[in-house]
Amino acid sequence: RYSLKTGPKYFLSQPKNYIGAPKIRSIAVDNYQGTISVDSYDVNKIEWLMDDEIIKTKYNIVGNFITSFSAENLNGSNIRFRLIGDGGQACSQMFKLVKVS
């Protein structure tokens, strides 16, 4: 005799060589240095966008991808990044740029 417990059940079926969308391990913002650092994996490249225009692209060959971007001397109001990999994309929310006098 079997008993089934109630509650949600989740099933995931993927091929063995499935590569998911890029994953973000951490994001660190250093306001004193003016940098944004990203630690990620399953990433082929990162695109940095200012006001929705690509301003810098960095490429990754294999494994973890740790990269930093300097926001010094930029003339824009918003920065974000887009991680692109074989399994899709992951995008950040906007980082607001504020001039400090």
Side-chain angles (χ1 to χ4, degrees), residues 18-91:
Y18 174 77
I19 297 174
K23 291 152 192 81
I24 299 169
R25 290 182 171 201
S26 67
I27 300 171
V29 176
D30 185 335
N31 287 320
Y32 294 106
Q33 296 293 322
T35 60
I36 302 169
S37 299
V38 180
D39 181 358
S40 58
Y41 60 99
D42 291 340
V43 176
N44 295 338
K45 70 178 176 177
I46 184 170
E47 294 177 338
W48 291 93
L49 298 100
M50 183 172 59
D51 300 328
D52 290 327
E53 296 286 330
I54 297 172
I55 58 172
K56 189 168 193 172
T57 302
K58 289 185 178 179
Y59 295 90
N60 184 39
I61 296 173
V62 78
N64 285 356
F65 189 36
I66 301 172
T67 185
S68 290
F69 177 79
S70 176
E72 274 189 81
N73 301 321
L74 293 179
N75 294 320
S77 57
N78 296 302
I79 287 217
R80 66 185 178 96
F81 62 84
R82 177 171 43 220
L83 300 172
I84 301 169
D86 291 338
Q89 298 182 37
C91 299

